[in-house]
């Protein structure tokens, strides 16, 4: 029985490594195709890796949907993949999700949520803001009502504590 458990564990680890290696190869093929501007191949290779949760693949797939390269232009799908990458801490995806939310592209226009994602982008980049997020924060703040400011203040404070609350 002990040897059966060890064999099962070893096979599980081996299968996991094989799957990881295959996905890494798909990611590399997707990255190569993206850098060569072969959008159709990039989309084909990146999508399964994005579905598996790789935040770089999710970000690049969002870019393809946003521009309509290799995929039909679809702001809803672009937001979906930016959002997925954002949840894993991809700062440019966070800034882009905020931009789509602020413009109402692919999702209902939602300024407090846009502001939230721009704040997270700022936090994760240690205030080296991406995608014009800093400028956007300054432009949007005066447009928010008191309730929206309160919501953003509490969520921003929680995000700040989660992201850099360790004293950095």
């Amino acid at each position: 029985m002990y040897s059966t458990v060890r064999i099962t564990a070893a096979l599980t680890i081996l299968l996991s490594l094989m799957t990881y290696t295959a996905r890494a190869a798909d990611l590399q093929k997707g990255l190569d195709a993206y850098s060569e501007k072969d959008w159709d191949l990039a989309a084909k290779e990146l999508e399964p890796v994005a579905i598996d949760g790789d935040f770089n693949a999710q970000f690049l797939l969002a870019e393809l949907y946003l521009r309509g390269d290799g995929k039909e232009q679809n702001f809803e799908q672009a937001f979906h993949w930016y959002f997925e990458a954002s949840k894993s801490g991809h700062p440019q995806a966070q800034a882009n999700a905020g931009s789509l939310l602020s413009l109402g592209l692919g999702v209902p226009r939602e300024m407090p949520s846009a502001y939230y994602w721009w704040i997270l982008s700022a936090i994760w980049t240690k205030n080296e803001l991406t995608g014009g997020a800093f400028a956007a924060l300054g432009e949007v703040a005066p447009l928010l009502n008191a309730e929206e400011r309160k919501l953003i203040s509490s969520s921003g404070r929680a995000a700040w504590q989660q992201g850099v609350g360790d004293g950095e």
Side-chain angles (χ1 to χ4, degrees):
M1 180 166 164
Y2 178 71
S3 61
T4 303
V5 170
R6 289 180 70 171
I7 290 171
T8 302
L11 286 174
T12 301
I13 291 169
L14 181 62
L15 287 173
S16 295
L17 288 173
M18 289 171 54
T19 301
Y20 174 78
T21 303
R23 284 296 179 222
D26 290 343
L27 176 60
Q28 190 57 55
K29 286 180 194 173
L31 294 173
D32 291 344
Y34 194 93
S35 68
E36 294 168 13
K37 298 182 180 177
D38 184 346
W39 308 127
D40 293 329
L41 181 59
K44 177 185 170 202
E45 296 295 340
L46 291 171
E47 188 163 21
V49 183
I51 290 169
D52 279 351
D54 183 276
F55 78 136
N56 289 311
Q58 292 167 340
F59 174 77
L60 293 175
L61 192 58
E63 293 282 292
L64 294 175
Y65 275 114
L66 182 70
R67 295 190 314 260
D69 292 329
K71 293 283 190 181
E72 185 175 330
Q73 186 175 44
N74 184 322
F75 295 123
E76 187 175 328
Q77 281 296 306
F79 177 78
H80 167 76
W81 289 112
Y82 283 137
F83 183 72
E84 291 301 313
S86 293
K87 292 188 299 185
S88 297
H90 193 292
Q92 187 62 53
Q94 292 168 339
N96 292 4
S99 295
L100 291 178
L101 282 160
S102 74
L103 298 169
L105 292 175
V107 290
R109 188 166 189 261
E110 178 64 43
M111 294 311 292
S113 295
Y115 205 80
Y116 175 79
W117 285 112
W118 287 329
I119 289 170
L120 284 180
S121 176
I123 291 167
W124 296 127
T125 57
K126 305 279 188 211
N127 293 319
E128 296 171 17
L129 297 167
T130 58
F134 186 70
L137 288 171
E139 292 173 15
V140 169
L143 305 175
L144 301 172
N145 64 38
E147 185 178 324
E148 290 170 331
R149 285 189 186 120
K150 183 178 178 181
L151 174 65
I152 289 167
S153 175
S154 63
S155 1
R157 195 170 21 260
W160 179 265
Q161 290 168 345
Q162 178 186 9
V164 294
D166 57 3
E168 288 185 33

